[in-house]
Amino acid sequence: MNGPSASPRSALSSAMTDPFGRTISYLRVSVTDRCDLRCFYCMSEDMTFLPKADLLTLEELDRLCSAFIAKGVKKLRLTGGEPLVRRNVMTLVRSLSRHLSSGALNELTLTTNGTQLAKHASELADCGVRRINVSLDTLDPRKFREITRWGEIDKVLEGIEAARAAGLYVKINAVALKNLNEDELPSLMRWAHGKGMGLTLIEVMPMGEIGSGRIDQYLPLSLVRARLAQQFTLTDLAESTGGPARYVSVAETGGKLGFITPMTHNFCESCNRVRITCTGTLHTCLGHEDASDLRKPLRASDDDMLLADAIDRAIGLKPKGHDFIIDRRHDRPSVSRHMSVTGG
């Protein structure tokens, strides 16, 4: 009697370890590919979004996330597109919060553009979300509209203040953009740190056709750090949040600054994360075209054994690292899928 049932239980609860000995404990889940902005480094202006029928239901997303939590995921981040434009997404957040209450999950968080935060910040806090990332590349209204194509920065700033008022720790994510916001990065850092928020700078990643050459957008963070070091005292920190950023403390502001450098210095050696798209496709590496369909096993059975087996097979194929390239000889994306589909 114990034989047949012991194997399924162990498969469902077995930890996820890739071929290089890295234990997977961080899951990023895109709940939608849609967004109410069109940041030019992320999307083309005239995007073709997935048919809504292709998306996993909120109940399926819950079941999928729960299967990963049963297999050892301790940090879960909801992404998009813009996750807060998904209809009734807060029912998913509230349902997933049960894993915080049980202790199975250490952190439930999300990355957002901030436009919908004013409406949802209090409920996010009530669901046990303690920290969020807000994507914001500039404080200049004109530049913000240029980057996002039609966004209004006041809505984002209002959302950030609502999140802070609700007790959420806010970290700002800013993509470093050549000849656009590079001169503004010191003042952006002072602003964020002055409000008790962290700031992480990110290099442009070669993902998806967006209608313009990324070589013209790309600004290496090694250069940004060297420039900042001329004005500020930067001290390397050993700490990690389980993500790809490397952190420094800034003596003059008392704040923390992160660098995500997929191009100048990859962060693959300690990678503990995988990503799931809103259609149920698992990507074990942001910078590879690998893809494992989890929607089919999810829908094929009411229990999670087929799903657990599919997850284990996918983790067993996780590559050692990515191979992003941006240069004049490679005028094409290293990865064809858009970041909004993969999950930011």
Side-chain angles (χ1 to χ4, degrees), residues 18 20-26 238-246 265-274 318-321:
D18 75 7
F20 306 95
R22 298 170 297 193
T23 298
I24 307 305
S25 59
Y26 182 5
E239 65 186 88
S240 171
T241 61
R246 290 176 168 83
H265 188 298
N266 75 48
F267 35 77
C268 304
E269 68 276 359
S270 60
C271 182
N272 65 343
R273 58 206 163 276
V274 294
K318 183 172 169 67
K320 188 172 185 179

Side-chain angles (χ1 to χ4, degrees), residues 13-35:
S13 61
S14 61
M16 297 174 290
T17 303
D18 75 7
F20 306 95
R22 298 170 297 193
T23 298
I24 307 305
S25 59
Y26 182 5
L27 176 65
R28 302 173 70 107
V29 179
S30 174
V31 299
T32 179
D33 65 324
R34 296 169 187 265
C35 187

Side-chain angles (χ1 to χ4, degrees), residues 64-199:
L64 192 53
C65 292
S66 297
F68 273 87
I69 292 167
K71 291 179 70 63
V73 159
K74 293 296 183 182
K75 180 175 180 178
L76 176 60
R77 180 178 297 277
L78 303 181
T79 69
E82 168 49 44
L84 294 178
V85 301
R86 174 78 189 252
R87 188 177 182 88
N88 296 324
V89 70
M90 288 309 302
T91 63
L92 174 64
V93 177
R94 188 162 294 282
S95 180
L96 289 172
S97 70
R98 71 189 186 277
H99 297 297
L100 294 172
S101 301
S102 72
L105 189 65
N106 292 342
E107 184 175 18
L108 175 61
T109 183
L110 76 156
T111 296
T112 173
N113 64 25
T115 60
Q116 309 298 314
L117 261 182
K119 289 187 281 187
H120 298 297
S122 293
E123 188 174 2
L124 285 168
D126 189 56
C127 289
V129 175
R130 295 292 172 256
R131 45 187 284 133
I132 58 171
N133 291 353
V134 177
S135 300
L136 179 63
D137 305 318
T138 179
L139 294 174
D140 183 316
R142 179 189 59 80
K143 288 183 183 178
F144 184 82
R145 178 172 282 274
E146 179 181 351
I147 292 170
T148 63
R149 292 193 173 102
W150 57 60
E152 298 292 340
I153 194 172
D154 288 347
K155 290 181 65 176
V156 177
L157 297 178
E158 180 187 1
I160 288 171
E161 290 309 312
R164 295 177 64 228
L168 300 175
Y169 174 75
V170 177
K171 180 168 74 68
I172 302 298
N173 286 344
V175 176
L177 299 165
K178 185 178 180 180
N179 297 325
L180 186 54
N181 70 350
E182 57 183 307
D183 292 337
E184 191 184 347
L185 296 178
S187 59
L188 186 63
M189 181 178 71
R190 290 190 187 96
W191 169 79
H193 290 177
K195 290 181 173 292
M197 302 185 296
L199 173 66

